Each structure stands twice: as structure tokens, then as C-alpha cells.
Amino acid sequence: MELSYKQLLPKINTFIFDVDGVLTNGMLTIMPDGELVRHMNVKDGYAMKNALNKGYRVCIISGGTNEGVRERLAALGIEDIYLGAHNKIEQYKELVKKYDLKAENVLYMGDDVPDFPVMELVGMPACPNDAVQEIQQVAKYISYKKGGEGCVRDVIEQVLRVQNKWNENFDASL
């Protein structure tokens, strides 16, 4: 019998997120100079910072290449940021080797077809509720939030709550 997503949450110690469509709503604003501007949710940032402060691993694997995205995520304390990743399996395998990760301990949140191969390998594949159909079919959890609108906070908060770490040493200055 397959475990429900609630039974998988206690084992998670590593979060891996896509950017466009997960940390953002997938929309791009094209500036006159050609720069592509993305919008990220502050609540997602708080949750990622909180998870890092509690000892969880937070990693990013994205096909996008915007250095502003790297700077924002690095400012939160995220060290494993892979941009320009068009075959996300390679970066996932690098993380598995680097940290000796076990699939059952990894939650990956993606929203579109390039995320599918990694989602098949992790213990807890998740997606925002506006993910494409193929991704929703492989996901064990579909957030009630859309990409860029708090879906990352949703999954992180659920994991930390189940593990009794969400309000542990609560620090509003994060």
C-alpha cells in the first residue's frame, strides 16, 4: 500500500525547488533592456530561511539563468543553487552524491515537464496547484497554493509542523 503524503513528511530533511512556476508565478516582465524580471513571494523566502535555520537542506534546480534570482536565494542562505539546468537529473544526482541523500528524505517541488524525471526519483514529489497535468499526476502532494503565491511556504510549513519545528525558537527577524 502506498503511503499518503502525510506519512512521508516526517522523513523529509531536504527540500529542492524549481524557480519559474514554483518560487514565481511563471510570468516574466520583459524590461526595455531585455532583462527578465520575476516576482517571488516573501512568505516563501521566510519559510526557506526558517528551514535552513532549523538544519534542513534547501536547494534550487532551475532552467533559468537570472543572476538576480541567484543573489536573492543566496541572500536567504541557500548554497546549492543550480541555474541553467536543462537536464535536472544531473544536478539532482550531484546533490545525492554530495550529501549522501536518500530518496525518502527529499521533497522536490516542480511545476512543468522538465521537473518530471527528478520527481519520479524523490520520496516526496510535490507541486503547486497550477502545475501541468503530467506533474500533478506524479506528485504525491499538490499544494492548495499556486506557484509564486506561497506553495513553497505551504510544503515547508507542513514538514516543519509535523516534525514539531515550525514554531520552535520562533524568530520574527528571519
Side-chain angles (χ1 to χ4, degrees), residues 43-141:
K43 291 178 180 144
D44 288 343
Y46 171 79
M48 289 187 290
K49 179 79 170 150
N50 193 10
L52 287 165
N53 287 348
K54 302 281 172 57
Y56 293 84
R57 241 176 251 101
V58 178
C59 311
I60 304 297
I61 303 177
S62 174
T65 58
N66 185 290
E67 285 303 312
V69 168
R70 181 187 309 278
E71 289 173 21
R72 162 68 177 149
L73 297 170
L76 294 172
I78 300 171
E79 296 176 3
D80 295 295
I81 303 169
Y82 297 92
L83 301 182
H86 300 294
N87 179 1
K88 296 181 179 191
I89 289 286
E90 292 173 15
Q91 288 76 24
Y92 174 71
K93 287 181 178 178
E94 188 176 316
L95 288 167
V96 166
K97 185 176 180 180
K98 181 178 181 179
Y99 296 112
D100 193 26
L101 299 177
K102 307 286 182 261
E104 66 191 24
N105 302 126
V106 179
L107 182 150
Y108 182 97
M109 181 174 261
D111 72 303
D112 209 344
V113 175
D115 301 304
F116 190 91
V118 177
M119 290 178 73
E120 286 188 306
L121 298 178
V122 300
M124 178 70 187
C127 68
N129 76 7
D130 59 345
V132 299
Q133 182 179 7
E134 295 91 340
I135 296 303
Q136 289 190 19
Q137 288 173 346
V138 74
K140 291 184 180 173
Y141 176 71

Side-chain angles (χ1 to χ4, degrees), residues 147-164:
E149 295 182 11
C151 63
V152 169
R153 161 101 179 224
D154 173 33
V155 295
I156 290 175
E157 185 173 343
Q158 285 194 57
V159 169
L160 270 63
R161 281 188 186 279
V162 163
Q163 296 179 17
N164 295 315

